Amino acid sequence: MMFSEQVELYIKRNGFRAVCPKAVLFDMDGVLYDSMPNHVVAWRESMAQFGIVMDEHDAYATEGARGVDTITKMVEIQQKRRITMEEAQKMYDVKSRLFHEMPEPPIMRGIPELMEKMRNSELSINVVTGSGQRPLIQRLLRDFGKYLDESHITTAYDVSHGKPSPEPYLTGLKKAGHLHPWEAIVVENAPLGIQAGHAARIFTVGVMTGPLPQEMLEEAGADATYHSMVEFSDDWSTFFQALLKPQTPSSSSSSLP
């Protein structure tokens, strides 16, 4: 399917007149940072201390969700019991400690160039993450302070329900300036995050920065997919112009909610 057709399908599905992007909502892990290999190790080693088996597939498949939600689900599946949020938080604290003892993950290749192009396109830069760890937020501000301030970061502590609920991205729209769904773009690399962007009715780009296949991101609801952030950055001008291109009369006749 050509990209113009994907845009047309998104508009028709949601009953919008057009896409008029004013903001980009980035996920953090596996999107802004090549951090998922570290997360895989931290999840595996921390959960083993509590009798929970969590492998690479589990880590990538649950990426984007709040850590406490992932733990609650894993305990219920493997140990057939329900734990309190306090117990889940204590387990997550172990995982967080292990993660922060590891070498700092690098910025994802292609991200600095992509952010510069987005800013030149007059889009605001925002982050919507399932993390709430203060050191990670501080690193976002250190690395991307040229494009981002704390008021445009949505964390686990800003929402009651994490991804795949649309709440994180709906909250991100509010922080971006009380925008409508057709005024933003979501950039994700994980099925749960893509499901959240799709449920929020925002045009969602899935980028294959990990081992998950393209089909898995498309099945989760990605409106467009790229094989890397470098590829997305290289294609930005074409991508952005296609979003702004006037649609056919059939789609433009639809009314905005």
Side-chain angles (χ1 to χ4, degrees):
M1 183 184 298
M2 296 182 62
F3 183 65
S4 59
E5 295 174 332
Q6 293 170 308
V7 176
E8 181 85 6
L9 182 61
Y10 163 81
I11 289 172
K12 286 184 176 181
R13 184 178 69 246
N14 290 287
F16 299 154
R17 289 195 184 114
V19 185
C20 306
K22 298 179 179 178
V24 178
L25 309 179
F26 281 104
D27 178 39
M28 182 175 68
D29 288 305
V31 173
L32 300 181
Y33 297 112
D34 191 8
S35 52
M36 282 309 296
N38 286 8
H39 279 292
V40 170
V41 174
W43 273 121
R44 183 176 63 240
E45 294 184 359
S46 63
M47 291 303 100
Q49 297 181 29
F50 301 97
I52 298 294
V53 176
M54 193 162 178
D55 59 19
E56 180 184 52
H57 176 81
D58 295 323
Y60 277 95
T62 59
E63 180 190 353
R66 298 191 307 173
V68 290
D69 293 336
T70 295
I71 290 169
T72 300
K73 181 178 179 181
M74 297 297 289
V75 170
E76 187 169 358
I77 291 173
Q78 295 189 24
Q79 298 183 347
K80 312 301 182 185
R81 65 187 183 95
R82 294 188 176 183
I83 58 175
T84 65
M85 194 59 64
E86 290 76 13
E87 185 177 354
Q89 184 63 54
K90 289 180 180 178
M91 295 169 69
Y92 183 58
D93 288 344
V94 175
K95 184 264 178 181
S96 298
R97 176 178 56 78
L98 289 175
F99 178 80
H100 287 294
E101 289 174 352
M102 302 174 76
E104 191 173 70
I107 294 173
M108 188 69 70
R109 287 183 62 246
I111 281 294
E113 297 82 0
L114 179 59
M115 280 195 180
E116 185 67 19
K117 292 176 181 179
M118 289 174 167
R119 187 176 70 164
N120 290 340
S121 298
E122 300 184 347
L123 302 182
S124 74
I125 305 298
N126 304 261
V127 174
V128 178
T129 175
S131 174
Q133 300 170 44
R134 190 65 198 171
L136 294 179
I137 307 308
Q138 291 172 336
R139 188 183 177 195
L140 282 173
L141 297 174
R142 184 193 76 197
D143 291 341
F144 305 112
K146 180 179 178 181
Y147 310 102
L148 178 70
D149 62 60
E150 191 161 359
S151 66
H152 288 254
I153 300 174
T154 300
T155 75
Y157 297 116
D158 292 312
V159 299
S160 299
H161 302 91
K163 303 170 187 178
S165 165
E167 184 183 355
Y169 280 113
L170 294 176
T171 302
L173 287 175
K174 291 179 182 178
K175 289 198 174 193
H178 294 275
L179 300 181
H180 298 291
W182 62 86
E183 295 179 306
I185 303 164
V186 164
V187 183
E188 272 280 358
N189 72 314
L192 294 184
I194 291 171
Q195 289 174 35
H198 180 84
R201 301 199 300 163
I202 306 171
F203 192 94
T204 301
V205 178
V207 186
M208 290 166 277
T209 61
L212 302 181
Q214 180 175 355
E215 293 77 13
M216 197 168 181
L217 304 189
E218 292 174 341
E219 289 171 2
D223 295 294
T225 56
Y226 286 93
H227 290 88
S228 68
M229 287 299 170
V230 172
E231 183 184 53
F232 187 21
S233 178
D234 289 345
D235 194 50
W236 173 255
S237 179
T238 300
F239 170 87
F240 191 58
Q241 289 305 313
L243 284 182
L244 298 176
K245 184 179 179 181
Q247 302 301 310
T248 63
S250 62
S251 65
S252 61
S253 64
S254 299
S255 60
L256 294 171

